Amino acid sequence: MRSLFATLLGRARTPAEAAPAATASAVPPVQLEAGSPAERTPTQGLVIIEYRGLAEIAGAATLQVRVAGDERPALEKQIRFSPGAAPDWFALHGHLLPNGPTRIALRLVEGGRTLAETALTVLLRNEGPTAEAVAASLRARGAPLIVDGVCDSAAYDYADPGLTAWFDSGPEAVEAHLTDLSARGATSAAEIVALRQFADEGYAVLPTRIAPELLGRLNAALDDAVANKVEGYAWGDSQRLHNLHDHYPAIRELWLHPQILRMLSLIFGEPPKPCQSLTYIFGSEQQYHQDFIHLTPFPAGRMCGVWTALEDVQPESGELIVYPGSHRFDRVFLADAGIAKVGEDWSAFGETVAKRWGEMIKASGIERQTYRPKAGEVLIWHDNLMHAGMVRRDRDKSRRSIVGHYFAGGCIAYHDSSGRPGMLHEAG
């Protein structure tokens, strides 16, 4: 999660002016800073707030957070302050608050004294049937208003059958849903075919391809990123480049492509919210995995990956592999593996979660399928689909592609593997 303080430091908030005069033995002046993307843009789900305490001399105090004018703090915790303090974060379960502006007040106290305080107003927008169902589920489970420092699956009722997505229901329910869409004229015959494949196999190919003109501009953007060594990229690497939609209009155009957003809307039954983009020049060679543990929605099923080929994919180039039907495997949470959230070291993850994935594939008997699309073809996959990148047997063959990840409007997005909240964007 990118730090907000790159911009916030230019408009630092002032310490409490009402604090008592300091004495020679008192804690030195402290500055409390806080900020959120939701100050500028109405936000759904988890509302991230970053904060830190700054002071010339390091020390500690109690942070109190009050929401919407409540006298009782929704969060109290000890924090450290110092000259170069790194930002920390908490997040609001925005579903538990009314839509619109909400004031968040932060105060640092020590020995009954206010050392510093600040406030910000965040903009909340949780709309639609999924948002209503999530809010009801959070209240029934007694979920906390504030998530402090780590997001975890234990906060959410994934077992609630009322939250099951249509495509994760039984065959009769799937057919009833598709029949209803057809009867209402909400979909074309080709879209029904794709939706049925998504429910049956866990992935679907978009009925139409991306136009050649846009493909040309997309490949030009990749050429520029390579030439400028974006993120230190070296030709021939399997390295992925992050969020190039922030820098290249063509990639942003693909990220928000109407055809992609339409199919996601049909899958989710809600407007999709883009999360991130990943760009590949060569094949990823990534081991089999399910996205769900890394890009985690609540309720389950409300996240999809979208893979677009920018060239005809050639044999031995490190093609994408999919395991049809593997989306019905059990969803794996980090808590199931009994390990801590992942920081820099992924070794424990590999020894537990990745091992379990391999065991599920073996036990299922599912045969993997190699995906070799033509340029412009778009593949959409289920959040629990097992997929991978083949070994690049011919290191000279590229496999240009862009992956986007999208969440359903109204859901909660977080990263179970790291414990971080998700950053969602409007598709408009």
Side-chain angles (χ1 to χ4, degrees):
M1 184 173 60
R2 292 173 292 180
S3 174
L4 305 174
F5 282 88
T7 55
L8 289 176
L9 289 178
R11 51 184 181 87
R13 304 168 198 269
T14 58
E17 297 178 357
T23 65
S25 60
V27 177
V30 181
Q31 184 175 350
L32 182 60
E33 297 178 343
S36 172
E39 291 181 273
R40 303 177 295 277
T41 304
T43 300
Q44 76 156 62
L46 290 167
V47 179
I48 305 161
I49 297 174
E50 283 195 331
Y51 65 89
R52 67 175 172 181
L54 296 172
E56 293 183 3
I57 300 175
T62 298
L63 175 69
Q64 297 178 341
V65 180
R66 290 176 170 82
V67 178
D70 287 348
E71 285 300 315
R72 184 176 179 178
L75 174 67
E76 283 191 287
K77 62 181 293 186
Q78 281 285 113
I79 70 166
R80 303 285 303 175
F81 50 81
S82 65
D88 203 347
W89 66 271
F90 61 85
L92 300 172
H93 271 131
H95 288 81
L96 298 177
L97 294 166
N99 286 333
T102 293
R103 181 176 171 82
I104 313 298
L106 296 84
R107 180 179 299 170
L108 273 181
V109 298
E110 190 273 334
R113 296 178 53 230
T114 297
L115 304 181
E117 59 186 3
T118 189
L120 64 159
T121 297
V122 295
L123 307 174
L124 308 178
R125 185 166 68 202
N126 293 288
E127 300 170 330
T130 299
E132 293 174 5
V134 168
S137 179
L138 292 178
R139 293 189 181 99
R141 196 170 181 82
L145 177 58
I146 289 183
V147 177
D148 180 27
V150 63
C151 300
D152 189 73
S153 60
Y156 309 116
D157 186 5
Y158 280 98
D160 182 353
L163 298 175
T164 302
W166 69 267
F167 44 80
D168 285 338
S169 303
E172 290 184 2
V174 168
E175 286 306 315
H177 180 81
L178 297 179
T179 299
D180 177 66
L181 288 177
S182 294
R184 291 188 286 110
T187 55
S188 68
E191 288 170 336
I192 290 293
V193 170
L195 291 171
R196 183 175 286 110
Q197 183 185 21
F198 184 85
D200 290 346
E201 300 185 357
Y203 59 87
V205 176
L206 212 65
T208 55
R209 295 181 185 174
I210 301 302
E213 184 275 331
L214 177 54
L215 284 176
R217 290 190 288 115
L218 288 165
N219 278 297
L222 267 63
D223 290 341
D224 185 81
V226 169
N228 286 285
K229 301 185 185 299
V230 172
E231 296 184 14
Y233 183 78
W235 180 255
D237 285 356
S238 290
Q239 173 188 345
R240 59 189 183 184
L241 304 177
H242 300 81
N243 297 322
L244 291 189
H245 64 267
D246 285 336
H247 309 287
Y248 294 96
I251 295 178
R252 185 170 188 84
E253 185 176 339
L254 176 68
W255 198 52
L256 303 177
H257 199 286
Q259 293 173 217
I260 292 173
L261 298 182
R262 172 171 169 76
M263 183 56 69
L264 290 170
S265 295
L266 291 172
I267 291 170
F268 293 145
E270 297 277 5
K273 306 289 183 180
C275 175
Q276 65 178 15
S277 68
L278 303 172
T279 299
Y280 297 87
I281 313 300
F282 289 85
S284 69
E285 298 187 299
Q286 192 170 7
Q287 187 184 24
Y288 47 75
H289 65 282
Q290 297 165 317
D291 284 348
F292 182 80
I293 201 168
H294 300 298
L295 295 129
T296 315
F298 177 74
R302 273 62 172 200
M303 196 287 295
C304 282
V306 178
W307 196 98
T308 303
L310 304 191
E311 62 181 336
D312 294 350
V313 173
Q314 302 299 313
E316 302 188 334
S317 64
E319 302 98 305
L320 181 69
I321 296 168
V322 294
Y323 293 81
S326 61
H327 62 303
R328 299 190 186 92
F329 290 175
D330 289 343
R331 286 180 169 87
V332 180
F333 298 95
L334 214 62
D336 298 337
I339 59 174
K341 301 296 184 183
V342 178
E344 298 296 326
D345 184 359
W346 287 85
S347 58
F349 186 95
E351 293 163 2
T352 54
V353 175
K355 179 182 178 182
R356 184 168 176 179
W357 285 333
E359 291 169 348
M360 289 193 294
I361 292 172
K362 184 176 180 180
S364 73
I366 291 175
E367 295 290 335
R368 72 185 194 182
Q369 290 190 5
T370 302
Y371 181 57
R372 295 193 186 106
K374 297 295 185 180
E377 196 166 294
V378 179
L379 181 76
I380 298 179
W381 64 68
H382 187 286
D383 65 10
N384 209 44
L385 181 76
M386 200 74 73
H387 58 286
M390 292 182 70
V391 173
R392 293 168 52 200
R393 300 191 184 282
D394 187 334
R395 309 296 291 184
D396 292 328
K397 289 183 177 179
S398 61
R399 195 207 69 180
R400 292 182 169 221
S401 57
I402 295 178
V403 178
H405 292 103
Y406 303 76
F407 287 79
C411 79
I412 290 173
Y414 67 105
H415 309 283
D416 186 56
S417 54
S418 67
R420 307 290 286 186
M423 296 282 288
L424 302 184
H425 305 268
E426 292 299 318

